[in-house]
Amino acid sequence: MKQPAHRERPATRQRAFGWWLALGLGLAAVLPRAAAESAPSTTDTPYGSVWRISGAVTAEAPGQATPRPLREGDRVFVGERLRAAASGEAVIKTADAGLLALRPGAELVTEAFKADGGADDRWALRLLTGSVRLVTGWIARINRPGYRVTTATATIGVRGTDHEPYVLTAEA
């Protein structure tokens, strides 16, 4: 007995969904590597200092042979890649009176930062993997479009004062 045509649609939708899911997962696996390989140029611009730290957290400037271990009071600079070990965490006070909490296993790069109190103040952060908690400083109040958190699959703008994006690795 032949089945009605409307019963074939769910199978077609499932195949299409499976194809889109596979494509999305494939892109999610490739894009973080591409973002990681295109490191921003180093500047001597500090954007904050380590307020609290637990476990191993490092900062690595582009072209630097070995990352430097971070300690309380150390400054962090635009262009440095911050990495927290599986048991490492750090809270960074930013120059615009904000807070950045780097969670265990997270990796990020601040690509741009300007906090002079003007309308052109900005902060561009790229979250490569893991999670950060951000409490915005004055940049988000003065220049909302100038405050951006970018991941491999999304760009996050300000909708409040506190947010916690999380990026999963391809293995997860």
Side-chain angles (χ1 to χ4, degrees):
M1 178 181 242
K2 193 171 185 180
Q3 292 185 4
H6 65 82
R7 292 193 186 262
E8 294 175 18
R9 283 189 185 142
T12 304
R13 285 183 188 157
Q14 287 174 345
R15 279 193 298 273
F17 176 75
W19 186 85
W20 283 109
L21 181 62
L23 178 65
L25 290 174
L27 286 174
V30 172
L31 290 176
R33 280 190 214 110
E37 291 168 1
S38 63
S41 61
T42 304
T43 67
D44 293 328
T45 306
Y47 67 90
S49 61
V50 178
W51 182 43
R52 298 276 187 255
I53 196 162
S54 172
V57 179
T58 60
E60 181 180 348
Q64 186 178 2
T66 57
R68 66 183 171 100
L70 290 177
R71 290 171 286 188
E72 286 184 16
D74 284 352
R75 293 190 310 171
V76 290
F77 297 87
V78 172
E80 286 187 313
R81 182 182 301 237
L82 302 185
R83 287 186 181 110
S87 61
E89 285 188 282
V91 177
I92 296 165
K93 283 187 172 183
T94 61
D96 71 333
L99 293 172
L100 180 154
L102 187 66
R103 302 296 191 193
E107 187 174 336
L108 64 84
V109 175
T110 290
E111 297 177 330
F113 188 87
K114 182 181 178 193
D116 296 332
D120 63 339
D121 285 357
R122 67 189 176 284
W123 188 10
L125 181 142
R126 180 170 301 277
L127 180 59
L128 302 170
T129 187
S131 177
V132 293
R133 183 166 197 167
L134 298 153
V135 177
T136 61
W138 79 64
I139 291 173
R141 286 188 280 283
I142 293 173
N143 182 15
R144 279 188 175 207
Y147 181 93
R148 293 184 354 159
V149 177
T150 303
T151 70
T153 56
T155 298
I156 302 161
V158 177
R159 299 296 176 264
T161 58
D162 175 35
H163 52 279
E164 190 163 349
Y166 193 93
V167 175
L168 292 172
T169 61
E171 295 82 33

